[in-house]
Amino acid sequence: MLLADLVATSEAVAATRSRLAKIEAIAASLHLAAPDEIAIVVSYLSGELRQRRTGVGWASLRDLPASAPRPTLTVAEVDAAFARAAEASGPGSVAVRREALASLFGRATGAEQRFLVRLAGGELRQGALAGIMVDAVARAAAVDTPAVRRAAMLSGDLAAVATAALGEGRRGLDAFRLEVGRPLQPMLAKTATSVETAMAQIGGEAAVDWKLDGVRIQVHREGDDIAVFTRTLDAITGRVPEVVEAVLALPVRSIVLDGEAIALRPDGRPRPFQQTASRAASRGDVAAARAEVPLTPFFFDVLRLDDADLIDLPAVERHAAVRGIVPDDLWVPRTVTADVREAKAFSDHAVARGHEGVVVKSLDAPYEAGRRGGAWLKVKPVHTLDLVVLAAEWGHGRREGWLSNLHLGARDPSTGGFVMLGKTFKGLTDELLRWQTDRLLRLETSREGITVFVRPELVVEIAFDGIQSSPRYPAGMALRFARVIRYREDKTSDQADTVDTVRMLHEAGS
């Protein structure tokens, strides 16, 4: 497949706001790809190189050779060139990368060079988010979208899933299984406006869990081998010995657990989230960090037990499978009830103990890896949204010299883009101002006056007092008295809250 064909698809996807048009364009491109090119096409149209680290920085891309007059490059040749750059190490590696890039860019047309520069720099944002890519793979392979989504979440590798789907259809997808030691995307919760609303949506008896303000963890054990992963599937095993010790003590051979790690005070109340996050991210003296800020693991789901995969079982059966295996003090506080008053009292108790609220869960639902479905509904007394920073403005007065006023966007699943909902600089400490200025300047794409536009990658948790109608923004809504709670580096932009969630809260009178 010629790179020029892929570039044309990328431009077509970027040029339309129609989700269906994006899906059809990507599916058509996948049909053009040879079997050994499918993974490359999926990666590139997702805006990513297949090589995580190439050693290719902006300095390497400044002085490009003259562009080629006509397209001759194939996607396989591009992938091979970046692979050579990534594999180069030791003395002479800089020269190897320079030669690989010169040869590659010298054969690229002007449009191809611009595409490759953005791809290598992580700036190829054409609106082909994971959900759109899943739908496109399903369309191209003529298989059910849920089957593609399930395989992708189990494997964590959509490119490999696409290759299997287009090569073997449903049989290829069915070969993907939960594998101990390989993390899968966590199940996510939607927002409900109240406990009453959540209980009504679930209907009948439900599990009501405390919502802890901790770091999401997924723990895999096979014998004495333990692996701990974050929400973003990063391994942090060596940083959380308390979690490792707790799971090693369980009377099982193999298990995969979903939960949270949280820093608690001596009285059992939570420490500020920043302390939990800082401790989980610490790469220094773990023993000293543990002595100062110990972590406590709490689990709320189990995905595998010994030789049995449990993700497709109803939640009530998953929980029953580990009764007597995971002790109560390692299980997040829970009540099972159909009584709204009992659920509300349980929520009030969680908040009184310093926690965020509750998550109301269906007892009948399977574990929907990577999905933010209606089976889990989070309820917080203070409404917050996880939004994406689209731009920031240079401050004045106390904030002079810092990027402060944030432009906030919600994810729009229909287009793969983001919809702006307002601005805020409230809640920003001097420490956060310094941190976000550094981070945002590294994500800068352009400037206009005092505004610095950035790649939509940083997720920030925003508290607000309500949502009002506003003709000022495309969604027709704006947040009232928005304020920054914290940055969510454990979340990626495609895990931010959607404009549909914001609209639901608006219609409910938030």
Side-chain angles (χ1 to χ4, degrees), residues 402-460:
W402 307 109
L403 286 173
S404 61
N405 204 17
L406 302 175
H407 294 205
L408 305 168
R411 184 164 54 87
D412 186 351
S414 67
T415 66
F418 300 90
V419 180
M420 188 170 171
L421 295 169
K423 306 177 185 180
T424 191
F425 57 82
K426 302 293 185 183
L428 290 169
T429 63
D430 289 349
E431 181 182 359
L432 268 183
L433 283 168
R434 286 191 292 271
W435 180 88
Q436 76 178 22
T437 299
D438 176 66
R439 286 297 304 273
L440 292 172
L441 287 177
R442 283 188 272 157
L443 297 173
E444 179 181 351
T445 58
S446 63
R447 297 191 184 196
E448 184 177 315
I450 64 170
T451 304
V452 175
F453 295 91
V454 299
R455 298 198 303 271
E457 294 182 7
L458 279 183
V459 178
V460 62

Side-chain angles (χ1 to χ4, degrees), residues 93-152:
S93 59
V94 173
V96 171
R97 288 193 202 93
R98 186 182 300 116
E99 187 279 329
L101 291 177
S103 175
L104 173 65
F105 280 88
R107 291 185 55 200
T109 65
E112 290 170 340
Q113 285 190 351
R114 290 189 293 273
F115 174 88
L116 292 173
V117 166
R118 293 170 62 206
L119 181 65
E123 291 190 351
L124 190 63
R125 298 282 170 177
Q126 66 244 311
L129 295 177
I132 288 175
M133 188 62 72
V134 165
D135 287 344
V137 170
R139 175 73 59 88
V143 295
D144 294 336
T145 297
V148 177
R149 184 183 300 116
R150 185 178 188 277

Side-chain angles (χ1 to χ4, degrees), residues 51 69 171 400 405 407 418 469:
Q51 299 76 22
R171 185 178 64 177
E400 186 173 359
N405 204 17
H407 294 205
F418 300 90
S469 297

Side-chain angles (χ1 to χ4, degrees), residues 456-478:
E457 294 182 7
L458 279 183
V459 178
V460 62
E461 184 177 2
I462 299 294
F464 57 97
D465 290 356
I467 301 170
Q468 62 190 16
S469 297
S470 172
R472 184 175 181 180
Y473 299 113
M477 301 176 290

Side-chain angles (χ1 to χ4, degrees), residues 72-358:
T72 60
L73 271 175
T74 67
V75 294
E77 289 172 326
V78 174
D79 186 62
F82 281 113
R84 285 196 299 275
E87 292 164 1
S89 62
S93 59
V94 173
V96 171
R97 288 193 202 93
R98 186 182 300 116
E99 187 279 329
L101 291 177
S103 175
L104 173 65
F105 280 88
R107 291 185 55 200
T109 65
E112 290 170 340
Q113 285 190 351
R114 290 189 293 273
F115 174 88
L116 292 173
V117 166
R118 293 170 62 206
L119 181 65
E123 291 190 351
L124 190 63
R125 298 282 170 177
Q126 66 244 311
L129 295 177
I132 288 175
M133 188 62 72
V134 165
D135 287 344
V137 170
R139 175 73 59 88
V143 295
D144 294 336
T145 297
V148 177
R149 184 183 300 116
R150 185 178 188 277
M153 298 315 164
L154 288 175
S155 70
D157 187 346
L158 181 54
V161 168
T163 300
L166 272 80
E168 303 177 72
R170 182 58 186 262
R171 185 178 64 177
L173 296 176
D174 290 343
F176 289 95
R177 296 282 188 272
L178 191 159
E179 182 179 315
V180 179
R182 184 176 65 190
L184 65 157
Q185 296 285 350
M187 185 170 175
L188 305 174
K190 284 187 174 180
T191 299
T193 55
S194 66
V195 171
E196 293 82 358
T197 300
M199 291 292 289
Q201 285 184 239
I202 296 297
E205 199 171 49
V208 186
D209 289 354
W210 280 12
K211 188 178 188 313
L212 307 182
D213 194 14
V215 173
R216 187 81 174 261
I217 54 172
Q218 188 179 121
V219 187
H220 292 235
R221 174 184 171 185
E222 186 66 58
D224 292 335
D225 293 330
I226 300 279
V228 184
F229 302 96
T230 65
R231 178 193 187 103
T232 52
L233 311 187
D234 295 311
I236 57 168
T237 312
R239 305 179 211 167
V240 288
E242 306 97 322
V243 177
V244 172
E245 292 164 8
V247 176
L248 274 176
L250 300 179
V252 296
R253 174 176 51 79
S254 178
I255 197 167
V256 177
L257 291 160
D258 190 7
E260 300 255 347
I262 186 170
L264 299 175
R265 294 173 174 151
D267 63 359
R269 297 176 67 85
R271 297 181 186 231
F273 173 79
Q274 287 77 6
Q275 293 186 27
T276 294
S278 177
R279 166 58 212 285
S282 176
R283 298 175 183 270
D285 187 338
V286 175
R290 176 179 184 174
E292 184 176 353
V293 182
L295 293 176
T296 301
F298 287 97
F299 301 107
F300 47 72
D301 219 320
V302 57
L303 314 184
R304 182 182 175 89
L305 181 61
D306 290 330
D307 295 324
D309 285 351
L310 308 181
I311 59 173
D312 293 323
L313 294 180
V316 66
E317 294 183 30
R318 298 199 304 277
H319 302 157
V322 290
R323 193 170 294 129
I325 295 176
V326 178
D328 290 345
D329 62 353
L330 286 182
W331 203 258
V332 71
R334 160 176 292 175
T335 189
V336 176
T337 183
D339 188 324
V340 174
R341 289 175 297 179
E342 183 179 345
K344 181 66 168 61
F346 190 75
S347 175
D348 291 343
H349 180 55
V351 173
R353 291 290 296 160
H355 299 289
E356 288 190 311
V358 293

